[in-house]
Coordinates of all heavy atoms in Angstrom, one line a residue:
G1 N -9.8 34.2 66.7 CA -9.7 32.9 66.0 C -9.7 33.1 64.5 O -9.7 34.2 64.0
S2 N -9.6 32.0 63.8 CA -9.5 32.0 62.3 C -10.5 31.0 61.7 O -10.9 30.0 62.4 CB -8.1 31.5 61.9 OG -7.1 32.4 62.4
L3 N -10.9 31.3 60.5 CA -11.7 30.4 59.7 C -11.3 30.6 58.2 O -10.8 31.7 57.8 CB -13.2 30.8 59.8 CG -14.0 30.3 61.0 CD1 -15.4 30.9 61.0 CD2 -14.0 28.8 61.1
R4 N -11.6 29.5 57.5 CA -11.3 29.6 56.0 C -12.6 29.2 55.3 O -13.1 28.1 55.5 CB -10.2 28.6 55.7 CG -9.8 28.7 54.2 CD -8.6 27.8 53.9 NE -8.1 28.0 52.6 CZ -8.0 27.0 51.7 NH1 -8.6 25.9 51.9 NH2 -7.5 27.3 50.5
L5 N -13.1 30.2 54.5 CA -14.3 29.9 53.7 C -13.9 29.5 52.3 O -12.9 30.0 51.8 CB -15.1 31.2 53.7 CG -15.5 31.9 55.0 CD1 -16.5 33.1 54.7 CD2 -16.2 30.9 55.9
S6 N -14.8 28.7 51.8 CA -14.6 28.2 50.4 C -15.8 28.5 49.6 O -16.9 28.4 50.1 CB -14.3 26.7 50.4 OG -13.1 26.4 51.1
C7 N -15.6 28.8 48.3 CA -16.7 29.0 47.4 C -16.4 28.1 46.2 O -15.4 28.3 45.5 CB -16.8 30.4 47.0 SG -18.1 30.7 45.7
A8 N -17.3 27.2 45.9 CA -17.2 26.2 44.8 C -18.2 26.6 43.7 O -19.4 26.5 43.9 CB -17.4 24.8 45.3
P9 N -17.7 27.0 42.5 CA -18.6 27.3 41.4 C -18.8 26.1 40.6 O -18.0 25.2 40.5 CB -17.8 28.3 40.6 CG -16.4 27.9 40.8 CD -16.3 27.3 42.2
S10 N -20.0 26.1 39.9 CA -20.3 25.0 38.9 C -21.2 25.6 37.9 O -21.7 26.7 38.0 CB -20.9 23.8 39.6 OG -22.2 24.1 40.2
G11 N -21.4 24.9 36.8 CA -22.2 25.4 35.7 C -21.4 26.1 34.7 O -20.3 25.6 34.3
S12 N -21.8 27.2 34.2 CA -21.1 28.0 33.2 C -19.9 28.7 33.7 O -19.8 30.0 33.6 CB -22.1 28.9 32.5 OG -23.2 28.2 31.9
I13 N -19.0 28.0 34.2 CA -17.8 28.6 34.9 C -17.0 29.4 33.9 O -16.4 30.5 34.3 CB -16.9 27.5 35.5 CG1 -17.7 26.8 36.6 CG2 -15.6 28.1 36.1 CD1 -16.9 25.6 37.2
F14 N -17.0 29.1 32.7 CA -16.2 29.8 31.7 C -16.7 31.3 31.6 O -15.9 32.1 31.1 CB -16.4 29.1 30.3 CG -17.8 29.2 29.8 CD1 -18.3 30.2 29.0 CD2 -18.7 28.2 30.1 CE1 -19.6 30.3 28.6 CE2 -20.0 28.2 29.6 CZ -20.5 29.3 28.9
S15 N -17.9 31.6 32.0 CA -18.4 32.9 31.8 C -18.0 33.8 33.0 O -18.3 35.0 32.9 CB -20.0 32.9 31.8 OG -20.5 32.5 33.0
I16 N -17.4 33.3 34.0 CA -17.1 34.1 35.2 C -15.8 34.9 34.9 O -14.8 34.3 34.5 CB -16.9 33.2 36.4 CG1 -18.1 32.4 36.8 CG2 -16.4 34.0 37.6 CD1 -17.9 31.4 37.9
Y17 N -15.9 36.2 35.2 CA -14.7 37.0 35.1 C -14.2 37.7 36.4 O -13.2 38.2 36.5 CB -14.8 38.0 34.0 CG -15.9 39.1 34.2 CD1 -15.7 40.1 35.1 CD2 -17.1 39.0 33.6 CE1 -16.7 41.1 35.3 CE2 -18.1 39.9 33.8 CZ -17.9 41.0 34.6 OH -18.9 41.9 34.8
A18 N -15.1 37.6 37.4 CA -14.7 38.2 38.7 C -15.5 37.5 39.8 O -16.6 37.1 39.6 CB -15.0 39.7 38.7
M19 N -14.8 37.3 40.9 CA -15.5 36.6 42.1 C -15.1 37.3 43.3 O -14.0 37.9 43.4 CB -15.2 35.2 42.1 CG -15.8 34.3 41.0 SD -15.4 32.6 41.2 CE -16.5 32.1 42.5
G20 N -16.0 37.2 44.3 CA -15.6 37.8 45.6 C -16.5 37.4 46.7 O -17.4 36.6 46.5
W21 N -16.2 37.9 47.9 CA -17.0 37.6 49.1 C -17.6 38.9 49.6 O -17.0 40.0 49.6 CB -16.0 37.1 50.2 CG -15.5 35.7 49.9 CD1 -14.3 35.4 49.3 CD2 -16.2 34.5 50.2 NE1 -14.2 34.0 49.2 CE2 -15.4 33.5 49.8 CE3 -17.4 34.2 50.8 CZ2 -15.7 32.1 49.9 CZ3 -17.7 32.9 51.0 CH2 -16.9 31.8 50.5
Y22 N -18.9 38.8 50.0 CA -19.6 39.8 50.6 C -20.2 39.3 51.9 O -20.3 38.1 52.1 CB -20.8 40.2 49.7 CG -20.3 40.9 48.4 CD1 -19.6 40.2 47.4 CD2 -20.4 42.3 48.2 CE1 -19.1 40.8 46.3 CE2 -19.9 42.9 47.1 CZ -19.3 42.1 46.1 OH -18.8 42.7 45.0
R23 N -20.7 40.2 52.8 CA -21.3 39.7 54.0 C -22.5 40.6 54.4 O -22.5 41.8 54.0 CB -20.3 39.7 55.2 CG -19.8 41.0 55.6 CD -18.6 40.9 56.6 NE -18.1 42.1 57.1 CZ -17.1 42.3 57.9 NH1 -16.4 41.2 58.3 NH2 -16.7 43.5 58.3
Q24 N -23.4 40.0 55.2 CA -24.5 40.8 55.7 C -24.7 40.5 57.1 O -25.1 39.3 57.4 CB -25.7 40.5 54.8 CG -26.9 41.4 55.2 CD -28.0 41.3 54.1 OE1 -28.1 40.4 53.3 NE2 -28.9 42.3 54.1
A25 N -24.6 41.4 57.9 CA -24.9 41.3 59.4 C -26.3 41.6 59.6 O -27.0 42.3 58.9 CB -24.0 42.2 60.2
P26 N -26.9 41.1 60.7 CA -28.3 41.4 61.1 C -28.6 42.8 61.1 O -27.9 43.6 61.7 CB -28.4 40.7 62.4 CG -27.4 39.7 62.5 CD -26.2 40.2 61.7
G27 N -29.6 43.2 60.4 CA -30.0 44.6 60.4 C -29.2 45.6 59.5 O -29.4 46.8 59.6
K28 N -28.2 45.0 58.8 CA -27.3 45.8 58.0 C -27.4 45.4 56.5 O -27.9 44.3 56.2 CB -25.9 45.7 58.5 CG -25.7 46.3 59.9 CD -24.2 46.3 60.3 CE -24.0 46.9 61.6 NZ -22.6 47.0 62.0
Q29 N -26.9 46.3 55.7 CA -26.9 46.0 54.3 C -25.7 45.1 53.9 O -24.7 45.0 54.6 CB -26.7 47.3 53.5 CG -28.0 48.2 53.5 CD -27.8 49.4 52.5 OE1 -26.8 49.8 52.2 NE2 -29.0 49.8 52.0
R30 N -25.8 44.4 52.8 CA -24.8 43.5 52.4 C -23.6 44.4 51.9 O -23.8 45.4 51.3 CB -25.2 42.6 51.2 CG -24.3 41.5 50.9 CD -24.9 40.6 49.9 NE -26.1 39.9 50.4 CZ -26.8 38.9 49.8 NH1 -26.4 38.5 48.6 NH2 -27.9 38.4 50.3
E31 N -22.4 44.0 52.3 CA -21.2 44.8 52.0 C -20.1 43.9 51.4 O -20.0 42.7 51.7 CB -20.7 45.5 53.2 CG -20.2 44.6 54.3 CD -19.7 45.3 55.5 OE1 -19.7 46.6 55.6 OE2 -19.2 44.6 56.5
L32 N -19.2 44.6 50.6 CA -18.1 43.9 50.1 C -17.1 43.6 51.2 O -16.8 44.4 52.1 CB -17.4 44.8 49.1 CG -16.0 44.4 48.6 CD1 -16.1 43.1 47.7 CD2 -15.3 45.5 47.9
V33 N -16.5 42.4 51.2 CA -15.5 42.0 52.1 C -14.2 41.9 51.3 O -13.2 42.6 51.6 CB -15.7 40.6 52.7 CG1 -14.6 40.2 53.6 CG2 -17.0 40.6 53.5
A34 N -14.1 41.2 50.2 CA -12.9 41.1 49.4 C -13.3 40.5 48.0 O -14.2 39.7 48.0 CB -11.9 40.2 50.0
R35 N -12.6 40.9 47.0 CA -13.0 40.4 45.7 C -11.8 40.5 44.7 O -10.8 41.3 45.0 CB -14.1 41.3 45.1 CG -13.8 42.7 44.7 CD -15.0 43.5 44.3 NE -15.4 43.1 42.9 CZ -15.0 43.8 41.8 NH1 -14.3 44.9 42.0 NH2 -15.4 43.5 40.6
F36 N -11.8 39.6 43.7 CA -10.9 39.7 42.6 C -11.6 40.5 41.5 O -12.8 40.2 41.2 CB -10.6 38.3 42.1 CG -9.6 37.5 42.9 CD1 -10.0 36.5 43.8 CD2 -8.2 37.8 42.8 CE1 -9.1 35.8 44.5 CE2 -7.3 37.1 43.6 CZ -7.8 36.1 44.4
T37 N -10.9 41.5 41.0 CA -11.5 42.3 39.9 C -11.3 41.5 38.6 O -10.6 40.5 38.5 CB -10.9 43.7 39.8 OG1 -9.5 43.5 39.5 CG2 -11.0 44.4 41.2
R38 N -11.8 42.1 37.5 CA -11.7 41.5 36.2 C -10.3 41.4 35.8 O -9.9 40.4 35.1 CB -12.5 42.3 35.2 CG -12.6 41.7 33.8 CD -13.7 42.3 33.0 NE -14.1 41.5 31.9 CZ -15.2 41.6 31.2 NH1 -16.1 42.5 31.6 NH2 -15.5 40.9 30.2

């Protein structure tokens, strides 16, 4: 199947230069999924 995740920023948005998605499965370390670089 498919899902679409959204991330809504607020506050000092002007300071953001990169954003991305990470995930953490049970018993595992948080890992990069996908990101926009600077």
Side-chain angles (χ1 to χ4, degrees):
S2 299
L3 280 176
R4 185 177 188 244
L5 305 183
S6 299
C7 174
S10 61
S12 301
I13 297 175
F14 64 89
S15 70
I16 298 173
Y17 63 79
M19 291 184 72
W21 289 96
Y22 294 72
R23 68 185 180 188
Q24 188 166 16
K28 294 187 177 182
Q29 290 188 332
R30 194 172 297 187
E31 63 177 3
L32 170 70
V33 177
R35 68 186 285 261
F36 283 103
T37 65
R38 189 164 194 161

